Amino acid sequence: MKTITFSLHTQQPLLATSFQGDPNSDVSYNYIPGSMIRGAIIGRYMKEYHLSDLDLNNDVVKRLFFDNNTCYLNGYLLSQKKNQKKRTLPVPLSWFKDKDSQLSDNSSQITVYDFSIDEEEKPETPKSVGESFWTEEGGVTFYKEKRRINIHNRRDRKKGRSSQEEGEIFCYDAIDTGQVFQAVILCHEVDADFLKNLLQKSVDIWLGGSQSAGYGHIKISDVNCHDIWNEINIPATERINRECLIITLLSDLILRDEWGQYAVIPPSKQHQKPTPLTKELEKVLGTLKPKRSFASGNLVGGFNRKWGLPLPQVPVLKAGCVFVFEKISITLEQIQQLENLGIGERRVEGFGRVAVNWLEERHFYAKQPETPKTSSQPVLKLQTSQTLAAQMAERLLHQKMEQALQKQIGYLKIEGQISNSQLSRLQMVARQALSTGDCDLVLSLLNNLPSNASGQFERAKIRDKSLKQKLDEWLHNPMSWIENSQTVQIADVERSITDKFAIQNKLAEKYTLRLIMAVAKKATKEKKDD
């Protein structure tokens, strides 16, 4: 198999209509469907050979457009980091965060928990991440498409204007201009050069609906052919031995049950008979035992320009669904077969893409992409203005640190046997050190504990470390628990947790001492409640 990748730059809003929204609106998908890309390339093929209809008995036509030998994958957002541009992928539905965690700007981070790996380790109030796409850029980076809403009114085709019969107001929620998506075509080696040349015939292409009303103009660039390509950029050889078998959907999946009906049934322990998904996977992997699923359904359709009619609505398992099965012996060839060919129906249109044993981190930090710095910030010339801006920035920095502190308190917990007297002693010394930010006071306490008390601090745990070890880590490196370099900018005045102002005022040390006090107080309160 050969792989052709190419970029799609939106010059006009793009309307790839989904079934969201109310009857008086059309809401676009957040990606460019593979079926839409295939249709545009069919149009180019017919124009190239001056055809009014496709000969479906032609083996070349069937191989290029209608069987699973050639697959047109969805166009997903392309990451914009310099020299590391990658095709993003849908965010797995097994990713959760604390409900109060927010990605407010490109300097903030949140902690994400993957429940497909471990359901025990989780925040107190878990909530689905809710982002669209992600990629690896020195850590998990979330991407979200930009959208544009335009209001239109329907007009009478004969009169050329709205009338009492034809004058309804409706709106289009479309993908906005100025964005770059990357699409992929998987094909046989004999067809690669032909399809590549077809894509390069013209940089301009029109996709989606309402093309006569200023929608759908796209420019094609960066058309490349690859001998070796991996959709998730992780070699299959590194994913053979895992604790469980985890299947992640990289696009929507269409399946039918044994009676030929479309079925959206996630596998679970409660099902006595294998679900359609389990049966599909067992054709390649053998007998499977489901453990848990993180799934959601959706409806997909489309439009057939040949018929001039919409396609029937089909229920699907949504891209990003994650299915966990008990560990089995799996080979490199089985992984490659599933990932190269996909599963389910309409694979030629990009449906049924899967990843096997893709992710393995229980929790990690995630952020938004960096936005290019601009010089649009006004310069404050008066000293009084600079002083006022500095005060505002300092207060906002304290506010951000308070939020980071509360988030840590929310999911940190002392486990194991430690007496209330030791916790109270820890709180008292930390409170004494708070006014000056002197972490050495608390370190002195920990280093001079009697053997019985020291044993309690060693046996008690926070996450995967002893309480004493965790306290030492915080006190020696107060920045260790702060997820990112907190920064606030007002006009041209900037304040950061690592700048001169913060170091002089020992902000990191003081918030670390407050964290220790709060965690100890929380443990004391939980003991009373028990």
Side-chain angles (χ1 to χ4, degrees):
M1 297 287 284
K2 286 269 192 176
T3 303
I4 303 170
T5 59
F6 53 99
S7 298
L8 300 169
H9 302 251
T10 56
Q11 307 299 304
Q12 294 178 337
L14 174 63
L15 193 62
T17 307
S18 65
F19 290 109
Q20 305 173 56
D22 60 63
N24 291 324
S25 67
D26 281 345
V27 181
S28 178
Y29 290 112
N30 57 2
Y31 60 90
I32 303 176
S35 57
M36 189 175 288
I37 296 167
R38 183 187 69 150
I41 293 177
I42 289 174
R44 280 199 173 182
Y45 176 86
M46 294 174 67
K47 184 177 180 180
E48 177 72 13
Y49 290 95
H50 309 288
L51 301 175
S52 57
D53 285 303
L54 285 178
D55 180 7
L56 300 184
N57 293 318
N58 186 309
D59 291 337
V60 175
V61 169
K62 284 197 290 186
R63 189 177 70 244
L64 285 174
F65 304 120
F66 294 104
D67 65 25
N68 293 325
N69 290 308
T70 307
C71 297
Y72 298 82
L73 309 193
N74 297 333
Y76 292 143
L77 275 172
L78 187 68
S79 70
Q80 293 303 303
K81 189 169 183 178
K82 287 184 178 179
N83 303 321
Q84 292 186 16
K85 294 188 177 183
K86 301 176 184 175
R87 177 174 177 259
T88 61
L89 292 169
V91 169
L93 299 183
S94 60
W95 284 6
F96 288 81
K97 63 173 184 176
D98 187 275
K99 72 171 186 178
D100 296 323
S101 298
Q102 298 292 335
L103 285 170
S104 56
D105 53 51
N106 59 13
S107 66
S108 65
Q109 289 183 322
I110 61 172
T111 304
V112 177
Y113 301 83
D114 191 343
F115 285 7
S116 69
I117 307 296
D118 186 1
E119 282 192 301
E120 299 299 322
E121 185 178 359
K122 59 184 178 182
E124 288 191 357
T125 52
K127 180 182 177 182
S128 179
V129 168
E131 299 291 332
S132 298
F133 302 100
W134 78 282
T135 190
E136 181 75 25
E137 291 179 350
V140 170
T141 303
F142 290 132
Y143 279 83
K144 195 171 184 66
E145 80 290 350
K146 297 174 185 175
R147 306 185 76 90
R148 178 185 295 185
I149 297 177
N150 289 330
I151 307 299
H152 300 272
N153 67 301
R154 203 178 304 278
R155 63 183 181 179
D156 188 293
R157 290 183 179 275
K158 293 181 179 179
K159 296 179 180 179
R161 57 177 173 81
S162 59
S163 63
Q164 287 186 343
E165 294 79 18
E166 294 285 342
E168 299 92 341
I169 298 293
F170 64 98
C171 72
Y172 286 157
D173 184 348
I175 294 172
D176 202 0
T177 59
Q179 299 180 86
V180 185
F181 295 76
Q182 187 179 73
V184 182
I185 301 175
L186 305 178
C187 61
H188 276 301
E189 188 173 353
V190 293
D191 300 320
D193 288 338
F194 176 80
L195 288 169
K196 184 179 177 181
N197 292 333
L198 207 56
L199 287 166
Q200 293 175 325
K201 282 288 181 184
S202 171
V203 296
D204 296 302
I205 195 168
W206 273 260
L207 300 173
S210 295
Q211 293 176 12
S212 62
Y215 290 84
H217 182 199
I218 306 289
K219 283 189 179 292
I220 300 174
S221 70
D222 302 324
V223 181
N224 294 300
C225 195
H226 310 269
D227 293 322
I228 300 174
W229 181 80
N230 188 306
E231 195 161 4
I232 60 175
N233 298 311
I234 302 174
T237 52
E238 297 179 13
R239 296 180 277 124
I240 293 174
N241 295 315
R242 295 286 173 87
E243 294 180 3
C244 299
L245 171 68
I246 301 178
I247 303 295
T248 307
L249 299 188
L250 305 181
S251 65
D252 294 340
L253 173 62
I254 302 174
L255 292 171
R256 293 180 188 261
D257 60 22
E258 56 191 302
W259 296 283
Q261 301 295 316
Y262 292 111
V264 183
I265 308 171
S268 72
K269 293 180 180 179
Q270 285 70 38
H271 290 116
Q272 295 181 352
K273 293 183 178 180
T275 62
L277 173 63
T278 306
K279 288 181 178 179
E280 191 76 12
L281 293 171
E282 286 180 341
K283 293 176 184 177
V284 179
L285 302 177
T287 305
L288 298 174
K289 294 182 179 179
K291 292 183 70 175
R292 53 186 179 272
S293 298
F294 304 89
S296 177
N298 203 357
L299 280 176
V300 298
F303 190 84
N304 189 306
R305 291 189 180 278
K306 173 68 176 176
W307 301 343
L309 292 170
L311 295 173
Q313 299 180 20
V314 176
V316 297
L317 284 167
K318 190 177 177 181
C321 290
V322 181
F323 309 101
V324 185
F325 299 87
E326 291 185 8
K327 183 177 181 179
I328 63 167
S329 177
I330 189 169
T331 65
L332 175 65
E333 290 73 21
Q334 289 172 321
I335 293 176
Q336 290 175 335
Q337 181 178 346
L338 284 173
E339 294 183 345
N340 291 341
L341 301 180
I343 59 175
E345 296 187 1
R346 290 169 63 179
R347 284 176 274 170
V348 68
E349 299 173 32
F351 289 91
R353 305 299 301 172
V354 300
V356 181
N357 292 340
W358 181 15
L359 306 166
E360 56 179 339
E361 291 189 47
R362 288 174 166 77
H363 61 87
F364 46 87
Y365 294 135
K367 59 182 173 58
Q368 288 181 328
E370 294 181 6
T371 53
K373 291 187 177 181
T374 62
S375 57
S376 60
Q377 294 288 355
V379 177
L380 302 178
K381 297 180 180 179
L382 297 177
Q383 182 61 41
T384 53
S385 298
Q386 291 181 352
T387 303
L388 181 60
Q391 291 174 350
M392 294 169 65
E394 288 159 15
R395 289 178 182 176
L396 288 171
L397 178 61
H398 278 287
Q399 189 179 73
K400 292 185 75 173
M401 286 301 300
E402 287 290 340
Q403 293 171 354
L405 177 65
Q406 293 303 319
K407 184 167 66 172
Q408 289 289 326
I409 295 168
Y411 69 80
L412 287 176
K413 181 179 180 181
I414 298 176
E415 298 176 337
Q417 294 298 319
I418 183 169
S419 65
N420 283 348
S421 61
Q422 297 301 330
L423 293 171
S424 298
R425 190 178 182 186
L426 177 64
Q427 288 184 69
M428 183 180 67
V429 175
R431 190 177 294 111
Q432 289 174 355
L434 186 59
S435 59
T436 59
D438 186 6
C439 293
D440 289 339
L441 279 176
V442 184
L443 283 169
S444 178
L445 167 70
L446 297 175
N447 293 331
N448 295 285
L449 288 170
S451 59
N452 180 42
S454 180
Q456 292 186 48
F457 276 87
E458 290 287 355
R459 289 189 294 272
K461 300 281 186 183
I462 290 186
R463 309 288 286 266
D464 54 347
K465 296 181 179 179
S466 72
L467 176 56
K468 187 174 187 303
Q469 188 179 0
K470 198 70 176 175
L471 293 173
D472 282 338
E473 178 186 311
W474 287 341
L475 294 165
H476 281 107
N477 182 15
M479 287 293 299
S480 62
W481 65 272
I482 301 172
E483 294 180 357
N484 57 81
S485 180
Q486 302 280 7
T487 303
V488 174
Q489 186 166 356
I490 304 292
D492 60 337
V493 177
E494 187 176 284
R495 286 290 180 265
S496 168
I497 193 63
T498 56
D499 68 9
K500 185 178 178 181
F501 161 78
I503 294 171
Q504 286 178 344
N505 290 275
K506 293 192 171 183
L507 283 190
E509 289 84 352
K510 289 179 179 179
Y511 277 99
T512 298
L513 292 168
R514 286 184 58 192
L515 175 65
I516 292 170
M517 292 164 55
V519 170
K521 184 177 180 180
K522 180 180 176 182
T524 304
K525 185 177 182 298
E526 288 175 348
K527 284 176 176 289
K528 289 180 180 178
D529 293 341
D530 292 342

